[in-house]
Every structure is written in structure tokens, then in C-alpha cells.
Amino acid sequence: MKIFQSRSKVAVGLDIGSGAVKLLQLTRAGAGLRVSHFALERLPAGAISNENITDSSAVAAAIAAAVRRGGIKTKQCVMAVSGSNVITRTIHVPAEIADSDLESRIELDAGQHIPYPLNEVNIDFEVLGPAPRNAELKEVLLVASRKENINFLQGIAEEAGLKVCIVDVEAFAIANAFDELVRPGAAIAADQTIALLDIGNTSTNLVVSRNGRMLYTREQPFGSHSLFDEMRRRYGDEAADINPLLGEGTQLGDLEDEILAPYKAQIVQQISRALQFYSSSAAQYNPVSRIFLSGASTAIPGLGQMVDDELGIAAETVNPVAGLKVASAVAGSALQQHGAGLMVAAGLALRGVE
């Protein structure tokens, strides 16, 4: 199973999060894109623990329910492995090696970079371009994941009645969604270095890019579950869908001081920590000048301003489906409610557009 494949014919993006599965299908609509199908199905407690699927049958049942709820007809899907289950390395090869000869060269070099026997992993690569500091070399992004991880995802999809046609990487899906759906309207200068932070339920993905080229990725164990859990503890089941409680015009009362303000402070702290890792670890370091936030909890009023005030970096929340046309069969209100949490699903869905 390849990781970097050409786009598939009509496939749905399937994002398995720790709290819910999300299905998103995009189709062409003139010069733009349209959301043709969308569904979200919450997972039962314990189905996923510590970023690992512990009840595959429950996850498969949730996927099947989402397929029915979304009226999805295609059986092809695009899935992703998370940072903990994938190895990425940027390697350098002589520039004179023809692209047709790269695969055999990468296979020879892969053993130096992957801590597993090569017969136990799926390997793929993508040429990034000339090496910035040496014109005689070109950079190649090497990606590997153990076959058992890929086979496990395929098994769950098949139990739900789907077939995996492409396996992506979560961080790459986030970057792809941003570049194709957000960047065109964000007025980002070519020389600006930006950071994307997608805050999931239990983990946060950081992607740093410059002029559409990824410079650095990192996954860290921080997510919105602490906020959700506190909301449920105080407000009960009506807090299961948190976004309406955080929208403009909501009467926050003590919610702001006792719950949201501490959570926003945690986000700022996590962003600061992530950027420190980037500054000390990135092969190519450029100071970040803008931050883009996504994830179900980033609709909190004032979050971007707090990041700006504390870190001195302009920040804003992004919704990858905000500017897309929506098919009449899709519940537009639900799509927009969950839109900020669809970066991974959107990036995967883009791989399945004809």
C-alpha cells in the first residue's frame, strides 16, 4: 500500500479520531469544490485509548453508521496513520539520479533511516526539490509505517464495508487541506513562515510551512478532551456538542472565567512549547510570523487574540470547508458546526476527488 499515490477515483476521506469518526466527500463543482457528503459518528467510551484503537469492531460499527447517515455510496476511502505510527525522514540524494531510478536508490538507503526490518514496513517517498544549501543534492521525503498498522486500518475499513485505496499521514493531510482550501484566501506572503496547529481530542499536530513547503511536523499529547470533560461534568449531556456553547452571542456566565480562560491559557502554553521544539529541532529554522488554529475547540471567543497578546504572533481559526459549496443533502448547520475539526478529513477527501 503506497502512501504517496495519485488521487483516487471518487473516494471519501475517513478520519478516525479518539472521540468520533468523520467522513467527508468532496466533488468538483465548476472551478471549485463541493461537499457532497458529510457525517460524524461519536465513538463509544474505550473504543480508542492513548491514540490506539482498542475496540476495532466498535470503530467499524461507527464507520458503517456514519456511511449510512451520510448517504455515502462510494466504497473507496482514504485513511491516515498518525504521527506515532509513522516515520518521516528528509534525506538527500545526488541530483543527477533520474526520478525513474530513485525508487531503487531509496530502497538501498532506507535501512539507514528506519529502525525496523524493511520487510515489515510500507515505504514511500516524495521528491521535495533541490537541497537549499547544496545544488548537487535533492531532498526526498521518506515515509514508512509498519505493515501491521496499515493492515489493521484496512481490516477496520473492510469490516465497515469500505476499501482503503490510499493511506496518507495525518500531518500531510492537514497541510494539504490548508494549502488547497485555506491558503488561497489567507493572503500569505511567499516569504512568511506559518504554523498550523490542529487540536484534536487527545493530541495536537503542528505543521510549519513556508511558501507551501513543509519545514517541520510534530505531534504532542494535548487535546480538547480536558475541556470537553469539564464541560460535561458541569453541564451534562447538552455539552456533548460544544461548539454552539462557544459561538458568538452565547451567554457565557462563569463558563469564561472558570473553564474557558484556563483552557485558552493551556493552548497558549502548548503552542509556545511546540514552537520551542520547532526552533531547536528544525533542519531549516525560520521564525513563525502567523499561526492558524483548527480543531473543534478553537471556536472559543478570544483565543486568537490571547495567542497574539501572549506570544506576539498573529493567530486565527480556520475552517477548511467554510468557503465550499454544499450539496442539498448535506446538513449545512452540522457541517459548519464541526468544520474547524475537519482538517484531517478534508485533506484526505482531497485525495479522493476525480
Side-chain angles (χ1 to χ4, degrees):
M1 171 64 67
K2 290 286 188 180
I3 296 173
F4 294 120
Q5 286 188 356
S6 60
R7 298 174 190 270
S8 171
K9 289 185 177 180
V10 190
V12 62
L14 169 55
D15 174 22
I16 301 177
S18 59
V21 296
K22 303 162 191 173
L23 288 168
L24 186 70
Q25 186 174 346
L26 303 177
T27 54
R28 295 290 176 192
L33 292 170
R34 174 178 59 202
V35 177
S36 53
H37 297 281
F38 164 70
L40 180 148
E41 190 74 21
R42 297 193 182 281
L43 290 168
I48 295 182
S49 177
N50 297 322
E51 297 295 304
N52 294 311
I53 297 173
T54 53
D55 189 342
S56 59
S57 293
V59 174
I63 295 169
V67 168
R68 293 191 298 271
R69 183 193 299 274
I72 296 165
K73 303 302 182 184
T74 179
K75 299 300 182 182
Q76 303 290 316
C77 71
V78 182
M79 300 180 73
V81 287
S82 66
S84 58
N85 291 316
V86 67
I87 298 168
T88 60
R89 298 286 188 272
T90 300
I91 64 176
H92 296 88
V93 299
E96 67 267 16
I97 295 180
D99 289 350
S100 58
D101 297 327
L102 264 180
E103 185 168 356
S104 57
R105 174 59 184 261
I106 296 299
E107 289 177 353
L108 287 174
D109 292 350
Q112 304 174 34
H113 306 281
I114 299 170
Y116 303 112
L118 294 185
N119 62 354
E120 295 181 5
V121 296
N122 287 102
I123 298 174
D124 211 343
F125 65 92
E126 185 171 82
V127 178
L128 299 177
R133 296 181 177 86
N134 190 339
E136 296 181 355
L137 299 174
K138 54 186 170 184
E139 286 188 337
V140 177
L141 180 62
L142 175 67
V143 182
S145 183
R146 300 190 71 173
K147 290 180 179 179
E148 62 185 32
N149 298 328
I150 306 295
N151 294 339
F152 186 56
L153 289 178
Q154 289 178 308
I156 292 173
E158 289 172 1
E159 187 176 345
L162 299 176
K163 178 179 175 60
V164 180
C165 57
I166 297 175
V167 176
D168 206 335
V169 178
E170 283 189 359
F172 301 167
I174 292 166
N176 192 31
F178 183 87
D179 287 340
E180 294 207 29
L181 302 176
V182 178
R183 179 183 289 274
I188 301 171
D191 62 349
Q192 277 190 308
T193 300
I194 62 169
L196 323 175
L197 284 106
D198 186 61
I199 302 173
N201 191 45
T202 58
S203 64
T204 294
N205 269 295
L206 166 68
V207 178
V208 179
S209 69
R210 182 183 178 90
N211 200 21
R213 181 171 178 171
M214 281 194 300
L215 304 179
Y216 178 81
T217 65
R218 178 181 172 84
E219 183 180 289
Q220 57 192 60
F222 170 78
S224 57
H225 68 95
S226 59
L227 173 62
F228 286 16
D229 291 346
E230 183 63 15
M231 292 287 293
R232 292 188 183 96
R233 187 182 72 80
R234 293 193 178 223
Y235 298 100
D237 291 341
E238 64 269 23
D241 291 313
I242 194 168
N243 282 354
L245 297 177
L246 305 181
E248 293 183 7
T250 301
Q251 299 300 311
L252 298 177
D254 63 358
L255 176 67
E256 171 63 33
D257 291 337
E258 297 185 14
I259 299 179
L260 298 187
Y263 180 68
K264 286 190 286 187
Q266 288 181 29
I267 291 179
V268 173
Q269 183 182 52
Q270 291 296 325
I271 293 173
S272 177
R273 181 177 300 171
L275 295 181
Q276 287 174 6
F277 276 115
Y278 160 61
S279 67
S280 62
S281 305
Q284 303 174 46
Y285 175 71
N286 295 282
V288 169
S289 58
R290 290 176 71 179
I291 293 173
F292 294 89
L293 302 170
S294 61
S297 65
T298 57
I300 300 173
L303 175 58
Q305 187 60 54
M306 186 173 184
V307 173
D308 195 341
D309 292 342
E310 295 293 327
L311 301 182
I313 305 174
E316 59 189 278
T317 299
V318 294
N319 175 347
V321 298
L324 301 184
K325 297 177 182 178
V326 180
S328 58
V330 176
S333 58
L335 179 68
Q336 294 308 320
Q337 173 185 324
H338 297 288
L342 295 178
M343 287 293 282
V344 173
L348 299 178
L350 285 166
R351 302 287 298 275
V353 177
E354 279 191 302

